[in-house]
Amino acid sequence: MAESFCTMQEPLTPEDCDLRGYDFMPLYGNRYFKSSSYMHAASENPRAGMAAMKLWWEAWYQVPCGSLPDDDIELAMLADFGTDKRGWAKAKEIALRGFVKCSDGRLYHKELCEIALDKFDLRLKSDEKREADRERLKAWRAKQKERGNQPNIETRSETVSETHDETTNETQGETNDETRFVAGKRVESRDISSLRSDTPCSPPSTSKSDSRGSRLADGWKPTDAMRAFALDLRLNPTDIGEQFRDYWISVPGAKGRKSDWEATWRNWCRKEAERAPRKTIVHSQQPPREERVREAFAGAPRLEDLGL
């Protein structure tokens, strides 16, 4: 007698667990090559072993992640058996080892779902942070437009590749010891305030030990050396400093991190001096050379008056 849906366990991943767009799936070799699935496949049906790995990959790209449809025709196609019904019938038991049918009628792989929950949680955090950064950048651009300032920045929206790169950088180094889903419910396992976008940034460090650099502090102001550099380029360090601080605080993700903020300041000043040198001059220009010569000799007797 078929098992009732009422007695089946709940789905192992939430219905919105979606990892499509990631070009990788973690494969823990030590766990796989010592599993009963691999041992049975190696001794009984190597083709079934390849089918199992193919189904894991397909399950990774299904929604919910880690699941497969409970349909022999679809499963045979996903496992690359095509219309070979006899071959699929022989390989099915080994290829589907580890999958269990849940109350939504789909097949879920327990170990694959555990990995999917960790990665999905990191994706949610990255999406939330990127959206908050995007809103701050939008607000800053609107503020600059109201002031009539047009700093040397690009205002186009992020491309798909930029979003993917940012996600990769922001999630790099995070561990599995973070918030996760268990049976579709969100469970907090440790303090993650350091990952929140509204946490105040610490002042940038001059140490070069962090290869990822640091963000600019909210209350940053140019140092005396920075102001002197701007003055040498005939710039107003106060105005330039406000533009510099507002821009870099609003830049989202890894693009807003720098390993040397003094060098970034110098490059910013050089570009501002090249872009609008007339609008940022703080010292009056000297009169032309001819006028200075005439003023220097004004009142001096002329050669004709001296009889020479």
Side-chain angles (χ1 to χ4, degrees):
M1 182 176 179
E3 185 178 4
S4 171
F5 283 107
C6 297
T7 62
M8 294 179 182
Q9 62 179 310
E10 292 294 318
L12 303 183
T13 53
E15 61 182 6
D16 62 342
C17 185
D18 185 358
L19 292 179
R20 291 175 297 180
Y22 283 1
D23 297 330
F24 66 93
M25 179 191 74
L27 177 63
Y28 298 96
N30 188 54
R31 181 188 301 182
Y32 171 67
F33 292 118
K34 290 184 178 180
S35 66
S36 61
S37 298
Y38 176 80
M39 294 179 183
H40 279 272
S43 62
E44 300 173 17
N45 191 343
R47 189 182 180 191
M50 292 298 298
M53 296 189 67
K54 181 63 164 55
L55 289 177
W56 295 350
W57 176 255
E58 294 294 342
W60 188 260
Y61 270 82
Q62 294 277 320
V63 179
C65 182
S67 69
L68 290 171
D70 185 20
D71 182 278
D72 272 340
I73 295 178
E74 292 186 56
L75 290 172
M77 297 298 293
L78 292 174
D80 289 339
F81 278 85
T83 58
D84 184 5
K85 297 181 180 180
R86 185 173 300 179
W88 168 243
K90 293 180 180 180
K92 179 178 178 180
E93 181 180 356
I94 296 177
L96 291 179
R97 272 181 175 268
F99 282 92
V100 295
K101 191 171 183 178
C102 293
S103 58
D104 63 350
R106 294 179 65 84
L107 304 175
Y108 288 80
H109 194 286
K110 182 179 179 181
E111 294 185 1
L112 188 63
C113 288
E114 290 178 357
I115 300 172
L117 290 173
D118 289 333
K119 300 304 177 184
F120 182 55
D121 187 53
L122 293 179
R123 185 174 208 177
L124 289 178
K125 292 176 185 176
S126 179
D127 289 345
E128 291 172 1
K129 184 180 185 304
R130 186 163 54 250
E131 182 60 29
D133 289 339
R134 188 178 291 113
E135 288 299 322
R136 288 204 305 272
L137 181 58
K138 182 179 179 181
W140 177 81
R141 285 172 175 163
K143 183 179 179 182
Q144 293 299 308
K145 187 175 182 180
E146 291 177 0
R147 291 180 176 178
N149 296 331
Q150 295 296 330
N152 188 20
I153 61 173
E154 296 180 355
T155 57
R156 60 178 175 78
S157 58
E158 290 184 323
T159 63
V160 175
S161 61
E162 288 173 336
T163 301
H164 178 269
D165 292 342
E166 185 180 335
T167 302
T168 302
N169 282 301
E170 289 300 319
T171 58
Q172 200 171 28
E174 294 183 354
T175 67
N176 294 336
D177 190 26
E178 296 171 350
T179 309
R180 65 178 66 207
F181 285 96
V182 176
K185 297 181 180 180
R186 194 177 181 90
V187 178
E188 297 287 344
S189 60
R190 72 174 179 86
D191 180 22
I192 58 171
S193 61
S194 61
L195 300 177
R196 293 170 48 195
S197 59
D198 58 346
T199 301
C201 300
S202 58
S205 172
T206 56
S207 173
K208 300 296 183 65
S209 59
D210 187 358
S211 60
R212 296 177 61 193
S214 60
R215 295 190 63 86
L216 196 68
D218 291 340
W220 176 91
K221 290 183 179 181
T223 63
D224 292 341
M226 291 178 173
R227 295 178 64 88
F229 184 84
L231 289 171
D232 287 342
L233 295 178
R234 305 171 75 182
L235 299 174
N236 187 321
T238 301
D239 293 342
I240 298 300
E242 291 179 357
Q243 294 180 15
F244 182 86
R245 182 185 63 248
D246 290 345
Y247 172 72
W248 285 111
I249 289 178
S250 302
V251 172
K255 291 181 286 187
R257 302 176 68 91
K258 299 294 179 182
S259 59
D260 189 340
W261 281 108
E262 291 190 6
T264 304
W265 166 264
R266 292 193 295 270
N267 289 333
W268 179 283
C269 290
R270 293 187 187 103
K271 291 181 180 179
E272 285 294 323
E274 294 173 358
R275 185 176 64 86
R278 295 182 180 178
K279 296 175 64 177
T280 53
I281 292 177
V282 296
H283 301 295
S284 60
Q285 292 184 348
Q286 292 184 346
R289 184 173 182 275
E290 294 81 2
E291 184 176 341
R292 297 200 306 272
V293 172
R294 286 196 299 269
E295 291 178 358
F297 286 93
R302 294 182 300 176
L303 296 178
E304 294 83 355
D305 297 339
L306 298 174
L308 298 177

